[in-house]
Amino acid sequence: MTEVFRTIADLREEIKKARKKGLTIGFVPTMGYLHEGHLQLVRRCRLENDYTVVSIFVNPIQFGPGEDFERYPRDEASDLKKLEEAGVDAAFIPSVEEMYPEKLLTYVDVEKLSEPMCGRFRPGHFRGVATVVAKLFNIVQPDRAYFGKKDYQQLKVIQKMVRDLNFPVEIVPVDTVREEDGLAMSSRNVYLSPEQRQAAAKIYRALLKGKEAFMGGERRARVLEELVRRELERESLFKVQYVEVRDAETLEETDEIKKPAVIAAAVYVGPARLIDNIELE
Ligand code: AMP
């Protein structure tokens, strides 16, 4: 049975009991509207921990003005059914008031890593993410927490926050789960019309082209970026926001790739801003 908790106090009490029994706690933070990507994190979490907590919280402070906070898809009943089937022990579904009862004056800002890529176009986004994840870690106090590589920059920001602030939690990265045609699964894919949905598969294909060129010996980051960008721009339904090749750990710019790197892209497909990435190593 998945037990639903809506208050921090109730969840803490239950986790205390689990701890007393000597159980290890695994945690999967999400914004809900769950798909196979989320469930992959949940399965991994269940394998590696005795007690699995999944949070569902659309976090207002990580959305900018004009972004999709209000229209972000939500379906609690369907989410709970999936969590039940996946054998999740606890679903933490707090209200905005429960998480932010008073004006927040304390934030976690992971410098540098938050600045390029999505950070450039979503100012304050990673500050909102790091802050809510810090709060959730303090509430759940998990042994391990699971994050998808789909949100690559987010994963790097959280890993750095955990090291810098000594959170006693192990961050476990999980590979991106894709649809059959390669499109990275995302709650936001629901925004796509059938035509846009079909086109969206070309994002990953463009990234694969970049990776192929890299495997073929191309090491110039700008050349790879241009190649992927050109590939994306062939699709008239796309509006490319960025294509960046960055160091896989520091997310710093590289000219000549000598260490593991990542190609990351953000593309508007109609109303949906979709992100994806591919690792180069
Ligand atoms: P979200 O609900 O979009 O905030 O995502 C919650 C967690 O699921 C984050 O750690 C995401 O990186 C991860 N996630 C989302 N989509 C995927 C996917 N297609 N494959 C793997 N992990 C994912």
Side-chain angles (χ1 to χ4, degrees):
M1 262 302 277
T2 304
E3 214 175 332
V4 179
F5 299 90
R6 298 192 189 270
T7 71
I8 294 164
D10 287 348
L11 179 68
R12 281 207 163 125
E13 208 169 301
E14 195 61 27
I15 287 175
K16 205 191 230 173
K17 282 191 218 155
R19 282 261 178 241
K20 265 217 181 104
K21 289 189 216 155
L23 305 182
T24 56
I25 313 285
F27 178 42
V28 182
T30 82
M31 299 206 297
Y33 213 73
L34 302 176
H35 50 67
E36 263 311 299
H38 297 114
L39 295 179
Q40 192 63 33
L41 270 59
V42 167
R43 282 192 282 268
R44 180 83 187 270
C45 183
R46 288 246 303 143
L47 278 177
E48 297 175 355
N49 304 275
D50 304 318
Y51 189 90
T52 289
V53 181
V54 175
S55 64
I56 298 177
F57 181 60
V58 184
N59 174 38
I61 70 165
Q62 73 188 64
F63 289 80
E67 289 187 356
D68 57 348
F69 173 69
E70 276 87 15
R71 67 189 171 101
Y72 194 84
R74 294 161 167 92
D75 189 344
E76 189 185 299
S78 154
D79 286 350
L80 282 175
K81 199 159 154 262
K82 288 172 188 166
L83 294 182
E84 184 79 53
E85 282 166 10
V88 166
D89 298 288
F92 179 48
I93 313 182
S95 63
V96 170
E97 295 69 37
E98 179 70 8
M99 288 297 280
Y100 302 110
E102 52 186 298
K103 184 168 168 47
L104 199 67
L105 299 178
T106 310
Y107 292 89
V108 179
D109 205 344
V110 181
E111 296 174 358
K112 296 279 182 277
L113 288 169
S114 297
E115 289 160 17
M117 301 154 70
C118 289
R120 195 147 59 85
F121 299 95
R122 304 187 72 188
H125 170 66
F126 289 110
R127 180 172 103 141
V129 169
T131 302
V132 80
V133 171
K135 282 167 70 74
L136 290 167
F137 282 178
N138 282 331
I139 293 164
V140 177
Q141 299 188 271
D143 297 285
R144 296 182 194 82
Y146 295 77
F147 288 85
K149 288 191 190 176
K150 150 85 172 25
D151 301 279
Y152 193 88
Q153 187 172 14
Q154 167 173 287
L155 169 67
K156 293 298 136 183
V157 164
I158 298 302
Q159 286 175 325
K160 181 71 173 143
M161 175 187 85
V162 161
R163 293 200 304 274
D164 282 357
L165 298 183
N166 304 90
F167 279 94
V169 53
E170 180 192 341
I171 302 300
V172 182
V174 179
D175 284 341
T176 302
V177 179
R178 300 180 179 282
E179 303 283 358
E180 263 183 42
D181 62 3
L183 175 64
M185 289 195 183
S186 163
S187 307
R188 288 187 169 102
N189 292 349
V190 72
Y191 297 148
L192 302 170
S193 71
E195 192 192 7
Q196 291 163 347
R197 166 63 192 82
Q198 213 189 343
K202 293 180 184 168
I203 300 173
Y204 186 53
R205 274 186 241 146
L207 292 171
L208 281 174
K209 286 247 161 118
K211 174 141 189 172
E212 273 166 31
F214 173 79
M215 297 308 263
E218 181 58 73
R219 290 293 179 276
R220 292 168 298 175
R222 299 292 88 68
V223 171
L224 292 172
E225 285 171 358
E226 261 321 296
L227 189 155
V228 173
R229 176 178 281 277
R230 267 205 312 278
E231 203 56 36
L232 290 168
E233 284 172 349
R234 286 167 49 155
E235 171 53 62
S236 61
L237 295 177
F238 288 177
K239 221 176 129 251
V240 180
Q241 187 173 61
Y242 72 78
V243 177
E244 292 184 23
V245 173
R246 297 257 162 185
D247 181 277
E249 269 319 303
T250 65
L251 304 184
E252 280 167 5
E253 211 164 49
T254 49
D255 290 328
E256 189 79 11
I257 302 170
K258 297 198 187 89
K259 286 187 293 177
V262 61
I263 315 178
V267 180
Y268 273 98
V269 188
R273 180 182 176 279
L274 303 182
I275 58 171
D276 201 352
N277 65 82
I278 199 162
E279 289 169 279
L280 307 176
E281 46 201 347

